[in-house]
Amino acid sequence: MTNTPDMTAMFKDVLGAFPMDNSAMKDAFKNTATLNEKLSSVAFDAADKSADISSAWTKDTLTRLTAMTAAKNEPTDYAKAMTEFASASAEAAAEHMAAFAEVAKKVQMDTVELMMAAGKDMQTEATAAATKTAEKAQAATQKPASK
């Protein structure tokens, strides 16, 4: 009968000649976790500010509604109160939408800044890892030649 070649031993030899650097994987995981933490912080900060804006807008509207629904002496006072409420609501909507736009603008700027920094860090790490791997591969290929 024929003997089947031991593929496990062959793979161990091949993988032993080209060792993996687990520290690069750990560093990549740490960097990803740090980036996610920073991005989450930006998102939660924006959500907090948006909630504050929404709450202020709601309180403002309720205050105006209370004033509008108060009993009036003359029928024309009701029309005047409704006009004032509509005018104040339109003005408040513009102000609050501008506040939401500022929050969105800050989120966009912070996100771009974080992504640019992460890209620069990843490029530096990738270059270092590629250089290290190339050096190890070159050393591994020179070992069999010197035997």
Side-chain angles (χ1 to χ4, degrees), residues 45-58 100:
D45 185 47
D48 185 45
K49 288 178 182 175
S50 294
D52 289 345
I53 294 167
S54 293
S55 177
W57 194 353
T58 301
F100 280 125

Side-chain angles (χ1 to χ4, degrees), residues 64-77:
R64 287 192 183 111
L65 278 171
T66 302
M68 183 185 76
T69 58
K72 314 282 189 252
N73 293 331
E74 297 292 323
T76 55
D77 291 341

Side-chain angles (χ1 to χ4, degrees), residues 100-118:
F100 280 125
E102 285 299 316
V103 170
K105 182 178 171 183
K106 182 170 179 358
V107 167
Q108 182 181 21
M109 290 172 56
D110 290 350
T111 302
V112 167
E113 184 178 305
L114 285 172
M115 296 306 285
M116 293 291 286

